[in-house]
Short mmCIF file of all heavy atoms in Angstrom, two decimals:
data_model
loop_
_atom_site.label_atom_id
_atom_site.label_comp_id
_atom_site.label_asym_id
_atom_site.label_seq_id
_atom_site.Cartn_x
_atom_site.Cartn_y
_atom_site.Cartn_z
N MET A 1 3.71 137.61 -88.91
CA MET A 1 4.31 137.38 -90.21
C MET A 1 4.76 135.92 -90.29
O MET A 1 5.42 135.43 -89.39
CB MET A 1 5.49 138.33 -90.39
CG MET A 1 6.17 138.18 -91.69
SD MET A 1 7.56 139.28 -91.74
CE MET A 1 7.41 139.89 -93.33
N ARG A 2 4.42 135.25 -91.37
CA ARG A 2 4.79 133.85 -91.56
C ARG A 2 6.10 133.75 -92.30
O ARG A 2 6.39 134.53 -93.20
CB ARG A 2 3.73 133.11 -92.37
CG ARG A 2 2.49 132.89 -91.61
CD ARG A 2 1.58 132.01 -92.42
NE ARG A 2 0.45 131.63 -91.60
CZ ARG A 2 -0.57 130.97 -92.05
NH1 ARG A 2 -0.62 130.62 -93.31
NH2 ARG A 2 -1.56 130.65 -91.26
N HIS A 3 6.87 132.75 -91.93
CA HIS A 3 8.12 132.49 -92.62
C HIS A 3 7.87 131.46 -93.70
O HIS A 3 7.24 130.44 -93.46
CB HIS A 3 9.19 131.96 -91.66
CG HIS A 3 9.58 132.98 -90.63
ND1 HIS A 3 10.39 134.03 -90.92
CD2 HIS A 3 9.25 133.09 -89.32
CE1 HIS A 3 10.56 134.74 -89.83
NE2 HIS A 3 9.87 134.19 -88.85
N ARG A 4 8.36 131.72 -94.87
CA ARG A 4 8.21 130.79 -95.98
C ARG A 4 9.49 130.00 -96.16
O ARG A 4 10.58 130.53 -96.02
CB ARG A 4 7.90 131.53 -97.28
CG ARG A 4 6.56 132.19 -97.25
CD ARG A 4 6.28 132.79 -98.58
NE ARG A 4 5.00 133.49 -98.51
CZ ARG A 4 4.40 134.00 -99.56
NH1 ARG A 4 4.97 133.91 -100.75
NH2 ARG A 4 3.27 134.61 -99.43
N ARG A 5 9.33 128.74 -96.47
CA ARG A 5 10.50 127.91 -96.76
C ARG A 5 11.00 128.23 -98.15
O ARG A 5 10.22 128.46 -99.06
CB ARG A 5 10.15 126.42 -96.70
CG ARG A 5 9.81 125.96 -95.32
CD ARG A 5 9.57 124.49 -95.34
NE ARG A 5 9.24 124.03 -94.00
CZ ARG A 5 8.88 122.83 -93.71
NH1 ARG A 5 8.77 121.94 -94.67
NH2 ARG A 5 8.62 122.49 -92.49
N SER A 6 12.30 128.22 -98.30
CA SER A 6 12.83 128.49 -99.64
C SER A 6 12.63 127.26 -100.49
O SER A 6 12.81 126.13 -100.05
CB SER A 6 14.31 128.87 -99.57
OG SER A 6 15.10 127.73 -99.39
N ARG A 7 12.26 127.46 -101.71
CA ARG A 7 12.00 126.34 -102.61
C ARG A 7 13.27 125.69 -103.10
O ARG A 7 13.27 124.57 -103.56
CB ARG A 7 11.17 126.82 -103.80
CG ARG A 7 9.79 127.23 -103.36
CD ARG A 7 8.99 127.67 -104.53
NE ARG A 7 7.71 128.17 -104.04
CZ ARG A 7 6.57 127.86 -104.56
NH1 ARG A 7 6.51 127.09 -105.60
NH2 ARG A 7 5.45 128.33 -104.06
N GLY A 8 14.37 126.36 -103.00
CA GLY A 8 15.64 125.80 -103.46
C GLY A 8 16.15 124.69 -102.57
O GLY A 8 16.95 123.87 -102.97
N ARG A 9 15.67 124.63 -101.32
CA ARG A 9 16.15 123.61 -100.38
C ARG A 9 15.04 122.62 -100.05
O ARG A 9 14.78 122.32 -98.92
CB ARG A 9 16.65 124.29 -99.11
CG ARG A 9 17.79 125.25 -99.38
CD ARG A 9 18.42 125.72 -98.14
NE ARG A 9 18.99 124.56 -97.46
CZ ARG A 9 19.40 124.58 -96.21
NH1 ARG A 9 19.31 125.67 -95.50
NH2 ARG A 9 19.91 123.50 -95.65
N ALA A 10 14.41 122.10 -101.06
CA ALA A 10 13.29 121.18 -100.86
C ALA A 10 13.74 119.85 -100.28
O ALA A 10 12.96 119.15 -99.65
CB ALA A 10 12.55 120.95 -102.18
N THR A 11 15.00 119.46 -100.48
CA THR A 11 15.48 118.18 -99.98
C THR A 11 16.17 118.30 -98.64
O THR A 11 16.76 117.35 -98.16
CB THR A 11 16.46 117.54 -100.99
OG1 THR A 11 17.55 118.44 -101.17
CG2 THR A 11 15.77 117.26 -102.30
N GLY A 12 16.10 119.44 -98.00
CA GLY A 12 16.76 119.62 -96.70
C GLY A 12 16.25 118.64 -95.67
O GLY A 12 17.01 118.06 -94.91
N GLY A 13 14.95 118.43 -95.62
CA GLY A 13 14.38 117.48 -94.67
C GLY A 13 14.79 116.06 -94.98
O GLY A 13 15.07 115.26 -94.09
N LEU A 14 14.86 115.75 -96.25
CA LEU A 14 15.26 114.41 -96.67
C LEU A 14 16.73 114.16 -96.34
O LEU A 14 17.10 113.08 -95.87
CB LEU A 14 15.01 114.22 -98.17
CG LEU A 14 15.34 112.85 -98.75
CD1 LEU A 14 14.52 111.77 -98.06
CD2 LEU A 14 15.09 112.84 -100.23
N ALA A 15 17.56 115.16 -96.56
CA ALA A 15 18.98 115.02 -96.25
C ALA A 15 19.18 114.88 -94.75
O ALA A 15 20.02 114.09 -94.30
CB ALA A 15 19.76 116.22 -96.78
N ARG A 16 18.42 115.60 -93.98
CA ARG A 16 18.53 115.50 -92.52
C ARG A 16 18.07 114.12 -92.05
O ARG A 16 18.69 113.51 -91.19
CB ARG A 16 17.68 116.58 -91.84
CG ARG A 16 17.82 116.54 -90.33
CD ARG A 16 17.04 117.64 -89.67
NE ARG A 16 17.53 118.92 -90.15
CZ ARG A 16 16.77 119.99 -90.30
NH1 ARG A 16 15.48 119.93 -90.03
NH2 ARG A 16 17.28 121.13 -90.72
N ALA A 17 17.01 113.60 -92.64
CA ALA A 17 16.52 112.26 -92.28
C ALA A 17 17.55 111.20 -92.66
O ALA A 17 17.76 110.24 -91.93
CB ALA A 17 15.19 111.99 -92.97
N ALA A 18 18.21 111.37 -93.80
CA ALA A 18 19.23 110.41 -94.22
C ALA A 18 20.42 110.46 -93.28
O ALA A 18 21.01 109.42 -92.95
CB ALA A 18 19.67 110.69 -95.65
N ALA A 19 20.79 111.65 -92.82
CA ALA A 19 21.90 111.77 -91.88
C ALA A 19 21.55 111.15 -90.54
O ALA A 19 22.38 110.52 -89.90
CB ALA A 19 22.29 113.24 -91.72
N ASP A 20 20.31 111.33 -90.10
CA ASP A 20 19.89 110.74 -88.84
C ASP A 20 19.79 109.22 -88.94
O ASP A 20 19.94 108.52 -87.94
CB ASP A 20 18.53 111.30 -88.42
CG ASP A 20 18.62 112.76 -88.00
OD1 ASP A 20 19.75 113.21 -87.70
OD2 ASP A 20 17.57 113.44 -87.98
N ALA A 21 19.54 108.69 -90.11
CA ALA A 21 19.38 107.25 -90.29
C ALA A 21 20.70 106.52 -90.19
O ALA A 21 20.72 105.30 -90.01
CB ALA A 21 18.74 106.96 -91.64
N THR A 22 21.81 107.23 -90.29
CA THR A 22 23.10 106.56 -90.20
C THR A 22 23.48 106.24 -88.77
O THR A 22 24.38 105.46 -88.53
CB THR A 22 24.20 107.42 -90.84
OG1 THR A 22 24.27 108.67 -90.15
CG2 THR A 22 23.93 107.63 -92.32
N HIS A 23 22.82 106.84 -87.80
CA HIS A 23 23.09 106.57 -86.40
C HIS A 23 22.22 105.40 -85.95
O HIS A 23 21.07 105.29 -86.34
CB HIS A 23 22.78 107.80 -85.55
CG HIS A 23 23.66 108.96 -85.85
ND1 HIS A 23 23.53 109.71 -87.00
CD2 HIS A 23 24.70 109.49 -85.18
CE1 HIS A 23 24.43 110.66 -87.01
NE2 HIS A 23 25.17 110.54 -85.91
N SER A 24 22.78 104.54 -85.14
CA SER A 24 22.00 103.40 -84.67
C SER A 24 22.08 103.33 -83.15
O SER A 24 23.05 103.79 -82.54
CB SER A 24 22.50 102.10 -85.27
OG SER A 24 23.83 101.86 -84.87
N VAL A 25 21.06 102.78 -82.57
CA VAL A 25 20.98 102.62 -81.13
C VAL A 25 20.74 101.14 -80.85
O VAL A 25 19.86 100.53 -81.44
CB VAL A 25 19.82 103.47 -80.55
CG1 VAL A 25 19.69 103.24 -79.06
CG2 VAL A 25 20.03 104.93 -80.86
N ALA A 26 21.53 100.58 -79.97
CA ALA A 26 21.36 99.17 -79.62
C ALA A 26 20.21 99.04 -78.63
O ALA A 26 20.18 99.70 -77.60
CB ALA A 26 22.64 98.62 -78.99
N VAL A 27 19.26 98.19 -78.97
CA VAL A 27 18.10 97.94 -78.11
C VAL A 27 18.10 96.46 -77.78
O VAL A 27 18.08 95.62 -78.68
CB VAL A 27 16.79 98.35 -78.81
CG1 VAL A 27 15.60 98.03 -77.92
CG2 VAL A 27 16.82 99.81 -79.18
N HIS A 28 18.11 96.16 -76.53
CA HIS A 28 18.11 94.76 -76.10
C HIS A 28 16.70 94.36 -75.73
O HIS A 28 16.12 94.91 -74.79
CB HIS A 28 19.06 94.56 -74.92
CG HIS A 28 20.48 94.91 -75.25
ND1 HIS A 28 21.28 94.10 -76.01
CD2 HIS A 28 21.23 96.00 -74.97
CE1 HIS A 28 22.46 94.66 -76.16
NE2 HIS A 28 22.46 95.83 -75.55
N LEU A 29 16.15 93.44 -76.48
CA LEU A 29 14.80 92.96 -76.22
C LEU A 29 14.86 91.55 -75.67
O LEU A 29 15.71 90.74 -76.07
CB LEU A 29 13.98 92.98 -77.51
CG LEU A 29 13.81 94.33 -78.19
CD1 LEU A 29 13.08 94.16 -79.50
CD2 LEU A 29 13.06 95.28 -77.30
N SER A 30 13.95 91.25 -74.80
CA SER A 30 13.89 89.88 -74.28
C SER A 30 12.42 89.49 -74.15
O SER A 30 11.57 90.32 -73.82
CB SER A 30 14.58 89.77 -72.93
OG SER A 30 13.88 90.53 -71.97
N ALA A 31 12.14 88.25 -74.47
CA ALA A 31 10.79 87.72 -74.35
C ALA A 31 10.88 86.40 -73.59
O ALA A 31 11.36 85.40 -74.14
CB ALA A 31 10.17 87.50 -75.72
N PRO A 32 10.46 86.39 -72.36
CA PRO A 32 10.54 85.14 -71.60
C PRO A 32 9.59 84.09 -72.16
O PRO A 32 8.43 84.38 -72.42
CB PRO A 32 10.14 85.55 -70.19
CG PRO A 32 9.35 86.81 -70.36
CD PRO A 32 9.88 87.47 -71.59
N VAL A 33 10.10 82.90 -72.40
CA VAL A 33 9.30 81.79 -72.93
C VAL A 33 9.27 80.71 -71.87
O VAL A 33 10.30 80.15 -71.51
CB VAL A 33 9.90 81.24 -74.24
CG1 VAL A 33 9.08 80.09 -74.75
CG2 VAL A 33 9.99 82.34 -75.27
N THR A 34 8.08 80.43 -71.38
CA THR A 34 7.93 79.40 -70.36
C THR A 34 7.69 78.05 -71.02
O THR A 34 7.30 77.96 -72.18
CB THR A 34 6.75 79.74 -69.43
OG1 THR A 34 5.55 79.73 -70.19
CG2 THR A 34 6.94 81.11 -68.78
N ILE A 35 7.91 77.01 -70.25
CA ILE A 35 7.68 75.65 -70.76
C ILE A 35 6.19 75.46 -71.05
O ILE A 35 5.83 74.74 -71.99
CB ILE A 35 8.22 74.58 -69.78
CG1 ILE A 35 8.22 73.20 -70.43
CG2 ILE A 35 7.43 74.56 -68.50
CD1 ILE A 35 9.23 73.04 -71.50
N GLY A 36 5.34 76.13 -70.32
CA GLY A 36 3.90 76.04 -70.57
C GLY A 36 3.52 76.61 -71.93
O GLY A 36 2.66 76.06 -72.63
N ALA A 37 4.18 77.71 -72.32
CA ALA A 37 3.89 78.31 -73.63
C ALA A 37 4.37 77.40 -74.75
O ALA A 37 3.70 77.29 -75.79
CB ALA A 37 4.58 79.67 -73.73
N VAL A 38 5.49 76.73 -74.55
CA VAL A 38 6.01 75.82 -75.57
C VAL A 38 5.08 74.61 -75.71
O VAL A 38 4.74 74.20 -76.83
CB VAL A 38 7.44 75.38 -75.23
CG1 VAL A 38 7.92 74.29 -76.17
CG2 VAL A 38 8.39 76.57 -75.25
N VAL A 39 4.63 74.08 -74.59
CA VAL A 39 3.72 72.92 -74.62
C VAL A 39 2.40 73.31 -75.27
O VAL A 39 1.85 72.57 -76.10
CB VAL A 39 3.50 72.37 -73.19
CG1 VAL A 39 2.36 71.37 -73.15
CG2 VAL A 39 4.78 71.76 -72.65
N LEU A 40 1.88 74.50 -74.94
CA LEU A 40 0.64 74.96 -75.55
C LEU A 40 0.79 75.12 -77.06
O LEU A 40 -0.10 74.73 -77.82
CB LEU A 40 0.21 76.29 -74.93
CG LEU A 40 -1.06 76.92 -75.48
CD1 LEU A 40 -2.27 76.03 -75.21
CD2 LEU A 40 -1.27 78.30 -74.90
N ALA A 41 1.92 75.67 -77.51
CA ALA A 41 2.15 75.83 -78.95
C ALA A 41 2.20 74.47 -79.66
O ALA A 41 1.63 74.32 -80.74
CB ALA A 41 3.45 76.60 -79.18
N VAL A 42 2.85 73.50 -79.05
CA VAL A 42 2.94 72.17 -79.66
C VAL A 42 1.57 71.51 -79.70
O VAL A 42 1.18 70.93 -80.72
CB VAL A 42 3.96 71.29 -78.88
CG1 VAL A 42 3.88 69.84 -79.32
CG2 VAL A 42 5.37 71.84 -79.06
N VAL A 43 0.81 71.64 -78.63
CA VAL A 43 -0.53 71.04 -78.59
C VAL A 43 -1.44 71.68 -79.63
O VAL A 43 -2.19 70.99 -80.35
CB VAL A 43 -1.14 71.16 -77.16
CG1 VAL A 43 -2.63 70.84 -77.15
CG2 VAL A 43 -0.40 70.25 -76.20
N LEU A 44 -1.39 73.01 -79.75
CA LEU A 44 -2.21 73.69 -80.75
C LEU A 44 -1.79 73.32 -82.17
O LEU A 44 -2.65 73.17 -83.05
CB LEU A 44 -2.14 75.20 -80.56
CG LEU A 44 -2.87 75.75 -79.33
CD1 LEU A 44 -2.63 77.24 -79.19
CD2 LEU A 44 -4.35 75.43 -79.41
N ALA A 45 -0.50 73.15 -82.41
CA ALA A 45 -0.03 72.76 -83.74
C ALA A 45 -0.51 71.35 -84.09
O ALA A 45 -0.96 71.09 -85.21
CB ALA A 45 1.49 72.84 -83.81
N ILE A 46 -0.42 70.44 -83.13
CA ILE A 46 -0.87 69.07 -83.38
C ILE A 46 -2.39 69.04 -83.59
O ILE A 46 -2.89 68.38 -84.50
CB ILE A 46 -0.46 68.14 -82.22
CG1 ILE A 46 1.06 67.96 -82.23
CG2 ILE A 46 -1.16 66.79 -82.29
CD1 ILE A 46 1.62 67.23 -81.03
N ALA A 47 -3.14 69.79 -82.77
CA ALA A 47 -4.60 69.82 -82.90
C ALA A 47 -4.99 70.41 -84.26
O ALA A 47 -5.90 69.89 -84.92
CB ALA A 47 -5.21 70.64 -81.77
N GLY A 48 -4.31 71.47 -84.69
CA GLY A 48 -4.61 72.06 -86.00
C GLY A 48 -4.33 71.10 -87.13
O GLY A 48 -5.10 71.00 -88.09
N GLY A 49 -3.24 70.35 -87.04
CA GLY A 49 -2.92 69.36 -88.06
C GLY A 49 -3.92 68.23 -88.10
O GLY A 49 -4.31 67.77 -89.19
N LEU A 50 -4.35 67.79 -86.93
CA LEU A 50 -5.35 66.71 -86.89
C LEU A 50 -6.69 67.16 -87.44
O LEU A 50 -7.36 66.42 -88.17
CB LEU A 50 -5.51 66.20 -85.46
CG LEU A 50 -4.34 65.37 -84.92
CD1 LEU A 50 -4.55 65.06 -83.44
CD2 LEU A 50 -4.17 64.10 -85.72
N ILE A 51 -7.08 68.40 -87.11
CA ILE A 51 -8.37 68.91 -87.62
C ILE A 51 -8.31 69.08 -89.14
O ILE A 51 -9.22 68.66 -89.86
CB ILE A 51 -8.74 70.22 -86.92
CG1 ILE A 51 -9.10 69.95 -85.46
CG2 ILE A 51 -9.88 70.93 -87.63
CD1 ILE A 51 -9.25 71.20 -84.62
N ALA A 52 -7.22 69.68 -89.64
CA ALA A 52 -7.10 69.88 -91.08
C ALA A 52 -7.00 68.55 -91.82
O ALA A 52 -7.64 68.36 -92.87
CB ALA A 52 -5.87 70.74 -91.38
N GLY A 53 -6.23 67.63 -91.30
CA GLY A 53 -6.11 66.31 -91.93
C GLY A 53 -7.41 65.52 -91.87
O GLY A 53 -7.79 64.85 -92.83
N GLY A 54 -8.10 65.60 -90.74
CA GLY A 54 -9.37 64.90 -90.60
C GLY A 54 -10.42 65.45 -91.54
O GLY A 54 -11.19 64.69 -92.16
N PHE A 55 -10.46 66.78 -91.70
CA PHE A 55 -11.43 67.38 -92.61
C PHE A 55 -11.13 67.00 -94.06
O PHE A 55 -12.04 66.65 -94.82
CB PHE A 55 -11.43 68.90 -92.45
CG PHE A 55 -12.42 69.60 -93.32
CD1 PHE A 55 -13.78 69.47 -93.09
CD2 PHE A 55 -12.00 70.37 -94.39
CE1 PHE A 55 -14.70 70.11 -93.90
CE2 PHE A 55 -12.91 71.02 -95.20
CZ PHE A 55 -14.27 70.88 -94.96
N GLY A 56 -9.86 67.03 -94.43
CA GLY A 56 -9.49 66.62 -95.79
C GLY A 56 -9.79 65.16 -96.05
O GLY A 56 -10.28 64.79 -97.12
N GLY A 57 -9.50 64.32 -95.07
CA GLY A 57 -9.81 62.90 -95.21
C GLY A 57 -11.29 62.63 -95.28
O GLY A 57 -11.75 61.77 -96.05
N TRP A 58 -12.07 63.37 -94.51
CA TRP A 58 -13.52 63.21 -94.54
C TRP A 58 -14.08 63.60 -95.91
O TRP A 58 -14.94 62.91 -96.45
CB TRP A 58 -14.13 64.07 -93.44
CG TRP A 58 -15.63 64.13 -93.45
CD1 TRP A 58 -16.49 63.12 -93.08
CD2 TRP A 58 -16.43 65.23 -93.85
NE1 TRP A 58 -17.78 63.54 -93.23
CE2 TRP A 58 -17.78 64.84 -93.69
CE3 TRP A 58 -16.16 66.51 -94.30
CZ2 TRP A 58 -18.83 65.69 -93.99
CZ3 TRP A 58 -17.22 67.35 -94.59
CH2 TRP A 58 -18.52 66.93 -94.44
N ARG A 59 -13.57 64.69 -96.47
CA ARG A 59 -14.02 65.10 -97.81
C ARG A 59 -13.63 64.07 -98.86
O ARG A 59 -14.40 63.76 -99.76
CB ARG A 59 -13.43 66.46 -98.18
CG ARG A 59 -14.09 67.60 -97.44
CD ARG A 59 -13.59 68.92 -97.93
NE ARG A 59 -13.88 69.07 -99.34
CZ ARG A 59 -13.35 70.00 -100.13
NH1 ARG A 59 -12.48 70.84 -99.63
NH2 ARG A 59 -13.67 70.09 -101.39
N ALA A 60 -12.41 63.54 -98.74
CA ALA A 60 -11.96 62.55 -99.71
C ALA A 60 -12.74 61.24 -99.58
O ALA A 60 -13.02 60.57 -100.58
CB ALA A 60 -10.47 62.28 -99.53
N ALA A 61 -13.13 60.89 -98.37
CA ALA A 61 -13.87 59.64 -98.16
C ALA A 61 -15.28 59.71 -98.73
O ALA A 61 -15.87 58.68 -99.05
CB ALA A 61 -13.93 59.32 -96.66
N ARG A 62 -15.82 60.90 -98.87
CA ARG A 62 -17.18 61.03 -99.42
C ARG A 62 -17.21 60.91 -100.93
O ARG A 62 -18.27 60.73 -101.51
CB ARG A 62 -17.77 62.40 -99.02
CG ARG A 62 -18.02 62.52 -97.55
CD ARG A 62 -18.69 63.80 -97.18
NE ARG A 62 -18.72 64.75 -98.30
CZ ARG A 62 -19.17 65.99 -98.21
NH1 ARG A 62 -19.60 66.44 -97.09
NH2 ARG A 62 -19.17 66.79 -99.27
N LEU A 63 -16.07 61.01 -101.60
CA LEU A 63 -16.03 60.94 -103.06
C LEU A 63 -16.01 59.49 -103.53
O LEU A 63 -15.46 58.61 -102.87
CB LEU A 63 -14.78 61.65 -103.59
CG LEU A 63 -14.69 63.16 -103.43
CD1 LEU A 63 -13.33 63.63 -103.90
CD2 LEU A 63 -15.79 63.84 -104.21
N ARG A 64 -16.55 59.26 -104.69
CA ARG A 64 -16.40 57.97 -105.34
C ARG A 64 -15.00 57.91 -105.92
O ARG A 64 -14.45 58.94 -106.32
CB ARG A 64 -17.42 57.83 -106.45
CG ARG A 64 -18.83 57.71 -105.95
CD ARG A 64 -19.75 57.52 -107.11
NE ARG A 64 -21.08 57.15 -106.63
CZ ARG A 64 -22.00 56.66 -107.41
NH1 ARG A 64 -21.79 56.51 -108.70
NH2 ARG A 64 -23.18 56.35 -106.91
N PRO A 65 -14.41 56.74 -106.02
CA PRO A 65 -13.04 56.64 -106.54
C PRO A 65 -12.87 57.23 -107.95
O PRO A 65 -11.89 57.89 -108.22
CB PRO A 65 -12.76 55.14 -106.53
CG PRO A 65 -13.65 54.60 -105.47
CD PRO A 65 -14.88 55.44 -105.51
N ALA A 66 -13.83 57.00 -108.82
CA ALA A 66 -13.73 57.54 -110.18
C ALA A 66 -13.79 59.06 -110.17
O ALA A 66 -13.07 59.74 -110.90
CB ALA A 66 -14.83 56.97 -111.06
N ALA A 67 -14.64 59.62 -109.32
CA ALA A 67 -14.73 61.08 -109.23
C ALA A 67 -13.47 61.67 -108.62
O ALA A 67 -13.00 62.73 -109.02
CB ALA A 67 -15.95 61.48 -108.39
N ALA A 68 -12.91 60.97 -107.65
CA ALA A 68 -11.66 61.45 -107.04
C ALA A 68 -10.51 61.46 -108.04
O ALA A 68 -9.71 62.39 -108.08
CB ALA A 68 -11.31 60.59 -105.83
N LEU A 69 -10.43 60.40 -108.86
CA LEU A 69 -9.35 60.32 -109.85
C LEU A 69 -9.54 61.35 -110.97
O LEU A 69 -8.57 61.78 -111.56
CB LEU A 69 -9.27 58.91 -110.43
CG LEU A 69 -8.73 57.85 -109.48
CD1 LEU A 69 -8.82 56.48 -110.11
CD2 LEU A 69 -7.31 58.17 -109.09
N SER A 70 -10.78 61.72 -111.26
CA SER A 70 -11.00 62.70 -112.32
C SER A 70 -10.58 64.10 -111.88
O SER A 70 -10.33 64.96 -112.72
CB SER A 70 -12.47 62.72 -112.73
OG SER A 70 -13.26 63.26 -111.70
N ARG A 71 -10.45 64.35 -110.59
CA ARG A 71 -10.03 65.65 -110.07
C ARG A 71 -8.52 65.78 -109.94
O ARG A 71 -8.02 66.85 -109.63
CB ARG A 71 -10.67 65.92 -108.72
CG ARG A 71 -12.17 66.10 -108.81
CD ARG A 71 -12.72 66.51 -107.50
NE ARG A 71 -14.17 66.65 -107.58
CZ ARG A 71 -14.93 67.08 -106.59
NH1 ARG A 71 -14.38 67.39 -105.45
NH2 ARG A 71 -16.23 67.19 -106.75
N VAL A 72 -7.79 64.72 -110.13
CA VAL A 72 -6.33 64.76 -110.01
C VAL A 72 -5.77 65.43 -111.24
O VAL A 72 -6.12 65.08 -112.37
CB VAL A 72 -5.75 63.33 -109.85
CG1 VAL A 72 -4.22 63.38 -109.85
CG2 VAL A 72 -6.28 62.68 -108.61
N GLU A 73 -4.91 66.40 -111.03
CA GLU A 73 -4.31 67.12 -112.17
C GLU A 73 -2.97 66.56 -112.53
O GLU A 73 -2.21 66.10 -111.80
CB GLU A 73 -4.17 68.60 -111.83
CG GLU A 73 -5.53 69.27 -111.68
CD GLU A 73 -5.37 70.75 -111.40
OE1 GLU A 73 -4.25 71.28 -111.54
OE2 GLU A 73 -6.36 71.36 -111.06
#
């Protein structure tokens, strides 16, 4: 025989979830950061900036000055 849930208490699960949400548990997380990871991040950031800037400069250098000025908004 199956038990049926009463339709009058449709928010029982929601109320229970809201009551459980008021409790908090402190979780201490740590992520070790080595000097090598910091140096790698800085090198990658500089390399990305140089590549993006170089590509933009290369595209701009291929334009004629009049065509470049006509694209300025």
